[in-house]
């Protein structure tokens, strides 16, 4: 049996439906269910539905052999796992954004609000900019609007949240897409299953592109 950690939400559901088509379906799976674990009756596959930011933890610790995780979360938490494939779905970007009329005052430390403190710190260190980090857990766009930060480092997908709050992107830090990751031990001891699933999911994505 192969254990797969999927992120709750649209991305996880998309990956599940692709895998189901490739022969990894669970008869009793329903996206409306509050159940967190689904196994197929043949004992081939088991899915865990986890918070997106926790996928790497389950895979690193071996509860899941395989997981699907955004590049944003992978870079922020850096779990000790193998990255097997870029799935080319769930695309968005990690950006620095601020109020439309923001001008950087380089004489002052830059106040940066974000969920992604490691990503932000790494980026601004490489940029040589002294910063003060403000860790938030959501609705990051509020921080510059209410004046508690100068900029935010956050995910931009359609750009709607920024636009509707009179903010704009000043710098794209990196592109994001969903990645297939694997537990290091599983890659040795369940090599054939991990390989087969990787090839299947890559093919499913190509066919649905
Ligand atoms: C994410 C991100 C932005 C928004 C970007 O928030 O933090 O706020 O999506 O999407 P857009 O460019 O399509 O508008 P999420 O919905 O995950 O909620 P959060 O505020 O709790 O982080």
């Amino acid at each position: 049996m192969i254990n797969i950690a999927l992120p709750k939400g649209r991305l996880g559901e998309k990956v599940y439906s692709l895998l189901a088509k490739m022969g990894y379906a669970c008869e009793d799976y329903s996206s409306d269910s509050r159940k967190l674990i689904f196994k197929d009756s043949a004992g081939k596959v088991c899915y865990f539905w986890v918070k997106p930011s926790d996928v790497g933890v389950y895979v690193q610790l071996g509860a899941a052999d395989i997981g699907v995780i955004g590049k944003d979360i992978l870079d922020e938490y850096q779990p000790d796992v193998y990255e097997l494939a870029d799935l080319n779905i769930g695309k968005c970007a990690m950006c620095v954004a601020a109020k439309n009329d923001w001008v950087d005052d380089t004489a002052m430390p830059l106040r940066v609000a974000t969920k992604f403190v490691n990503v932000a710190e790494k980026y601004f260190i490489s940029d040589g900019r002294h910063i003060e980090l403000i860790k938030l857990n959501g609705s990051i766009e509020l921080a510059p609007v209410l004046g508690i930060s100068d900029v935010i480092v956050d995910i931009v997908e359609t750009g709607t949240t920024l636009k509707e709050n009179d903010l704009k992107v000043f710098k794209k830090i990196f592109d994001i897409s969903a990645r297939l990751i694997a537990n290091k031990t599983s890659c040795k001891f369940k090599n054939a299953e991990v390989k087969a699933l990787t090839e299947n999911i890559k093919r499913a994505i190509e066919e649905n592109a």
Side-chain angles (χ1 to χ4, degrees), residues 2-22:
I2 191 147
N3 298 305
I4 305 175
L6 290 181
K8 282 186 202 171
R10 256 184 313 158
L11 174 63
E13 271 156 35
K14 180 161 190 181
V15 172
Y16 173 77
S17 73
L18 290 171
L19 283 169
K21 279 189 210 148
M22 304 304 291

Side-chain angles (χ1 to χ4, degrees), residues 115 137-141 154-161:
K115 267 195 268 200
N137 297 301
S139 302
I140 317 295
E141 291 83 358
D154 200 18
I155 292 164
V156 179
E157 191 180 350
T158 60
T160 309
T161 314

